[in-house]
Amino acid sequence: GQNIDQPTEMTATEGAIVQINCTYQTSGFNGLFWYQQHAGEAPTFLSYNVLDGLEEKGRFSSFLSRSKGYSYLLLKELQMKDSASYLCATMDSNYQLIWGAGTKLIIKP
Amino acid sequence: ETGVTQTPRHLVMGMTNKKSLKCEQHLGHNAMYWYKQSAKKPLELMFVYNFKEQTENNSVPSRFSPECPNSSHLFLHLHTLQPEDSALYLCASSQEQGSGSSEAFFGQGTRLTVV
């Protein structure tokens, strides 16, 4: 079967670093996406990884290990506005997105 | 104006009502999607249209009926819904289905409550 696992909720402190993990089992693999979704708003694209390694984009970085079926999203210098849900999704062999349930990140002052 | 616009933002309907959700994208994309988002559950793909042709129907009950008159507009027609259908319904678009790196752009969703 196809499955995406990520923690339900995480808490971190403003200015700190947090790593949100995602493990997956899918039929085929055509890349992994991370999206951010603030409460009551649309999910917005953060990153796409299809090859192993780390992709850095400002304060956010995303890592992928295809052999381990594992990814993480790293957020540095946390700001209060980073409080949101972070959705992990993989694209299977049919180019269909398989979504995790999302990780709610709470930032405390 | 945002890339993907959904109306209405909120909808309360009775189980015997008929209503429609509307989605419009101004990005020149060729693929459009309907998703259902329930609390603490993964996004559930409902329907996919690629170049105005329906390519996916993920075992969605017939009380949900999609319509895609052109590549910019997508509707979801609702009738005789059940309380468990209450959820956030998200529309998304992408350049085309079957393109690996093609990110999806989402609308802000319609919060549907069935009473």
Side-chain angles (χ1 to χ4, degrees), chain B residues 30-56:
Chain B
N30 295 302
M32 296 187 76
Y33 311 80
W34 279 118
Y35 282 94
K36 176 183 179 182
Q37 188 175 37
S38 303
K40 300 186 179 181
K41 289 186 178 180
L43 282 171
E44 299 174 46
L45 180 64
M46 300 175 73
F47 302 105
V48 181
Y49 281 81
N50 199 38
F51 293 94
K52 298 189 296 179
E53 296 295 321
Q54 185 175 324
T55 58
E56 298 284 345

Short mmCIF file of all heavy atoms in Angstrom, two decimals, chain B residues 30-56:
data_model
loop_
_atom_site.label_atom_id
_atom_site.label_comp_id
_atom_site.label_asym_id
_atom_site.label_seq_id
_atom_site.Cartn_x
_atom_site.Cartn_y
_atom_site.Cartn_z
N ASN B 30 -3.26 23.50 -17.32
CA ASN B 30 -4.10 22.56 -18.06
C ASN B 30 -4.68 21.45 -17.20
O ASN B 30 -5.50 20.66 -17.69
CB ASN B 30 -3.29 21.93 -19.20
CG ASN B 30 -2.89 22.97 -20.22
OD1 ASN B 30 -3.73 23.64 -20.80
ND2 ASN B 30 -1.58 23.12 -20.43
N ALA B 31 -4.25 21.36 -15.95
CA ALA B 31 -4.78 20.34 -15.05
C ALA B 31 -5.44 21.01 -13.85
O ALA B 31 -4.90 21.98 -13.31
CB ALA B 31 -3.67 19.40 -14.57
N MET B 32 -6.59 20.50 -13.47
CA MET B 32 -7.29 21.02 -12.29
C MET B 32 -7.77 19.86 -11.44
O MET B 32 -8.08 18.78 -11.97
CB MET B 32 -8.47 21.93 -12.70
CG MET B 32 -8.02 23.19 -13.44
SD MET B 32 -9.35 24.36 -13.74
CE MET B 32 -9.55 25.09 -12.10
N TYR B 33 -7.83 20.10 -10.14
CA TYR B 33 -8.07 19.04 -9.17
C TYR B 33 -9.08 19.48 -8.11
O TYR B 33 -9.11 20.65 -7.72
CB TYR B 33 -6.77 18.69 -8.43
CG TYR B 33 -5.55 18.46 -9.30
CD1 TYR B 33 -4.83 19.54 -9.81
CD2 TYR B 33 -5.11 17.17 -9.58
CE1 TYR B 33 -3.71 19.34 -10.60
CE2 TYR B 33 -3.98 16.97 -10.37
CZ TYR B 33 -3.29 18.06 -10.87
OH TYR B 33 -2.16 17.85 -11.65
N TRP B 34 -9.87 18.53 -7.64
CA TRP B 34 -10.66 18.73 -6.42
C TRP B 34 -10.11 17.81 -5.34
O TRP B 34 -9.92 16.60 -5.57
CB TRP B 34 -12.14 18.39 -6.63
CG TRP B 34 -12.95 19.45 -7.28
CD1 TRP B 34 -13.61 19.39 -8.47
CD2 TRP B 34 -13.26 20.76 -6.74
NE1 TRP B 34 -14.26 20.57 -8.73
CE2 TRP B 34 -14.06 21.43 -7.68
CE3 TRP B 34 -12.91 21.43 -5.56
CZ2 TRP B 34 -14.53 22.73 -7.49
CZ3 TRP B 34 -13.37 22.72 -5.38
CH2 TRP B 34 -14.18 23.36 -6.33
N TYR B 35 -9.87 18.41 -4.15
CA TYR B 35 -9.43 17.66 -2.98
C TYR B 35 -10.43 17.88 -1.85
O TYR B 35 -11.02 18.96 -1.72
CB TYR B 35 -8.08 18.16 -2.49
CG TYR B 35 -6.87 17.70 -3.26
CD1 TYR B 35 -6.34 18.48 -4.29
CD2 TYR B 35 -6.24 16.50 -2.95
CE1 TYR B 35 -5.21 18.08 -4.98
CE2 TYR B 35 -5.11 16.09 -3.64
CZ TYR B 35 -4.60 16.89 -4.65
OH TYR B 35 -3.47 16.48 -5.33
N LYS B 36 -10.51 16.88 -0.97
CA LYS B 36 -11.25 17.02 0.28
C LYS B 36 -10.24 17.00 1.42
O LYS B 36 -9.36 16.13 1.46
CB LYS B 36 -12.24 15.86 0.45
CG LYS B 36 -13.00 15.87 1.78
CD LYS B 36 -13.91 14.65 1.90
CE LYS B 36 -14.65 14.64 3.22
NZ LYS B 36 -15.51 13.43 3.37
N GLN B 37 -10.35 17.98 2.33
CA GLN B 37 -9.44 18.02 3.48
C GLN B 37 -10.26 17.98 4.76
O GLN B 37 -11.00 18.92 5.07
CB GLN B 37 -8.56 19.27 3.45
CG GLN B 37 -7.47 19.26 4.52
CD GLN B 37 -6.51 20.43 4.42
OE1 GLN B 37 -6.90 21.55 4.08
NE2 GLN B 37 -5.22 20.19 4.69
N SER B 38 -10.12 16.88 5.50
CA SER B 38 -10.77 16.75 6.80
C SER B 38 -9.71 16.89 7.88
O SER B 38 -8.53 16.62 7.64
CB SER B 38 -11.45 15.37 6.92
OG SER B 38 -12.38 15.18 5.87
N ALA B 39 -10.17 17.28 9.06
CA ALA B 39 -9.24 17.56 10.16
C ALA B 39 -8.35 16.34 10.44
O ALA B 39 -8.84 15.22 10.57
CB ALA B 39 -10.01 17.94 11.40
N LYS B 40 -7.05 16.60 10.51
CA LYS B 40 -6.05 15.60 10.89
C LYS B 40 -6.00 14.40 9.95
O LYS B 40 -5.54 13.32 10.35
CB LYS B 40 -6.26 15.16 12.33
CG LYS B 40 -6.15 16.32 13.33
CD LYS B 40 -6.21 15.87 14.76
CE LYS B 40 -6.06 17.07 15.68
NZ LYS B 40 -6.10 16.71 17.11
N LYS B 41 -6.48 14.58 8.73
CA LYS B 41 -6.41 13.51 7.73
C LYS B 41 -5.65 14.01 6.51
O LYS B 41 -5.62 15.22 6.25
CB LYS B 41 -7.80 13.06 7.31
CG LYS B 41 -8.57 12.30 8.35
CD LYS B 41 -9.89 11.80 7.76
CE LYS B 41 -10.67 10.99 8.76
NZ LYS B 41 -11.95 10.50 8.17
N PRO B 42 -5.06 13.11 5.75
CA PRO B 42 -4.38 13.54 4.52
C PRO B 42 -5.37 14.11 3.51
O PRO B 42 -6.55 13.75 3.53
CB PRO B 42 -3.77 12.24 3.98
CG PRO B 42 -3.74 11.30 5.13
CD PRO B 42 -4.89 11.67 6.00
N LEU B 43 -4.87 14.97 2.67
CA LEU B 43 -5.68 15.44 1.55
C LEU B 43 -6.15 14.25 0.72
O LEU B 43 -5.35 13.36 0.40
CB LEU B 43 -4.87 16.37 0.66
CG LEU B 43 -4.66 17.80 1.13
CD1 LEU B 43 -3.65 18.51 0.25
CD2 LEU B 43 -5.97 18.56 1.11
N GLU B 44 -7.43 14.24 0.39
CA GLU B 44 -7.99 13.16 -0.42
C GLU B 44 -8.29 13.69 -1.81
O GLU B 44 -9.10 14.61 -1.97
CB GLU B 44 -9.31 12.67 0.18
CG GLU B 44 -9.23 12.09 1.57
CD GLU B 44 -10.61 11.77 2.12
OE1 GLU B 44 -11.42 11.16 1.37
OE2 GLU B 44 -10.90 12.14 3.26
N LEU B 45 -7.62 13.11 -2.81
CA LEU B 45 -7.90 13.51 -4.18
C LEU B 45 -9.25 12.97 -4.60
O LEU B 45 -9.53 11.78 -4.45
CB LEU B 45 -6.81 12.97 -5.11
CG LEU B 45 -6.95 13.31 -6.58
CD1 LEU B 45 -6.85 14.81 -6.83
CD2 LEU B 45 -5.90 12.55 -7.40
N MET B 46 -10.09 13.85 -5.14
CA MET B 46 -11.42 13.43 -5.57
C MET B 46 -11.48 13.27 -7.09
O MET B 46 -11.86 12.23 -7.60
CB MET B 46 -12.46 14.45 -5.12
CG MET B 46 -12.54 14.65 -3.63
SD MET B 46 -13.67 15.97 -3.18
CE MET B 46 -15.26 15.20 -3.51
N PHE B 47 -11.13 14.34 -7.78
CA PHE B 47 -11.24 14.35 -9.25
C PHE B 47 -10.06 15.09 -9.86
O PHE B 47 -9.52 16.02 -9.27
CB PHE B 47 -12.53 15.06 -9.70
CG PHE B 47 -13.80 14.46 -9.16
CD1 PHE B 47 -14.50 15.07 -8.14
CD2 PHE B 47 -14.30 13.28 -9.71
CE1 PHE B 47 -15.67 14.53 -7.65
CE2 PHE B 47 -15.48 12.73 -9.24
CZ PHE B 47 -16.16 13.35 -8.20
N VAL B 48 -9.69 14.65 -11.07
CA VAL B 48 -8.65 15.33 -11.82
C VAL B 48 -9.14 15.54 -13.25
O VAL B 48 -9.70 14.62 -13.86
CB VAL B 48 -7.34 14.51 -11.87
CG1 VAL B 48 -6.26 15.29 -12.65
CG2 VAL B 48 -6.84 14.18 -10.49
N TYR B 49 -8.91 16.73 -13.76
CA TYR B 49 -9.14 17.03 -15.16
C TYR B 49 -7.82 17.47 -15.78
O TYR B 49 -7.13 18.33 -15.23
CB TYR B 49 -10.18 18.14 -15.33
CG TYR B 49 -11.59 17.68 -15.18
CD1 TYR B 49 -12.17 17.51 -13.93
CD2 TYR B 49 -12.36 17.39 -16.31
CE1 TYR B 49 -13.47 17.06 -13.80
CE2 TYR B 49 -13.68 16.95 -16.18
CZ TYR B 49 -14.22 16.79 -14.93
OH TYR B 49 -15.51 16.34 -14.80
N ASN B 50 -7.48 16.86 -16.90
CA ASN B 50 -6.26 17.22 -17.63
C ASN B 50 -6.68 17.59 -19.04
O ASN B 50 -7.26 16.76 -19.76
CB ASN B 50 -5.28 16.04 -17.63
CG ASN B 50 -3.87 16.46 -17.95
OD1 ASN B 50 -3.41 17.52 -17.53
ND2 ASN B 50 -3.16 15.63 -18.68
N PHE B 51 -6.41 18.82 -19.46
CA PHE B 51 -6.88 19.32 -20.75
C PHE B 51 -8.38 19.06 -20.91
O PHE B 51 -8.85 18.56 -21.95
CB PHE B 51 -6.09 18.67 -21.90
CG PHE B 51 -4.64 19.06 -21.94
CD1 PHE B 51 -3.68 18.29 -21.31
CD2 PHE B 51 -4.24 20.21 -22.61
CE1 PHE B 51 -2.34 18.66 -21.34
CE2 PHE B 51 -2.90 20.59 -22.64
CZ PHE B 51 -1.94 19.80 -22.01
N LYS B 52 -9.13 19.40 -19.89
CA LYS B 52 -10.60 19.35 -19.84
C LYS B 52 -11.17 17.94 -19.82
O LYS B 52 -12.39 17.77 -19.80
CB LYS B 52 -11.23 20.14 -21.00
CG LYS B 52 -10.91 21.62 -21.01
CD LYS B 52 -11.73 22.37 -22.04
CE LYS B 52 -11.42 21.91 -23.44
NZ LYS B 52 -12.24 22.62 -24.46
N GLU B 53 -10.34 16.93 -19.82
CA GLU B 53 -10.82 15.56 -19.77
C GLU B 53 -10.62 14.99 -18.37
O GLU B 53 -9.54 15.13 -17.78
CB GLU B 53 -10.06 14.68 -20.78
CG GLU B 53 -10.26 15.07 -22.22
CD GLU B 53 -11.70 14.88 -22.67
OE1 GLU B 53 -12.32 13.87 -22.27
OE2 GLU B 53 -12.19 15.74 -23.42
N GLN B 54 -11.66 14.34 -17.85
CA GLN B 54 -11.54 13.77 -16.52
C GLN B 54 -10.64 12.54 -16.58
O GLN B 54 -10.90 11.62 -17.37
CB GLN B 54 -12.91 13.38 -15.97
CG GLN B 54 -12.88 12.90 -14.52
CD GLN B 54 -14.26 12.64 -13.95
OE1 GLN B 54 -15.20 13.35 -14.26
NE2 GLN B 54 -14.37 11.61 -13.13
N THR B 55 -9.59 12.54 -15.78
CA THR B 55 -8.64 11.43 -15.80
C THR B 55 -8.65 10.61 -14.52
O THR B 55 -8.13 9.51 -14.50
CB THR B 55 -7.21 11.95 -16.05
OG1 THR B 55 -6.87 12.89 -15.02
CG2 THR B 55 -7.10 12.64 -17.40
N GLU B 56 -9.20 11.17 -13.44
CA GLU B 56 -9.24 10.44 -12.19
C GLU B 56 -10.60 10.63 -11.53
O GLU B 56 -11.15 11.73 -11.55
CB GLU B 56 -8.16 10.93 -11.20
CG GLU B 56 -6.73 10.77 -11.65
CD GLU B 56 -6.22 9.35 -11.54
OE1 GLU B 56 -6.86 8.54 -10.85
OE2 GLU B 56 -5.19 9.05 -12.16
#
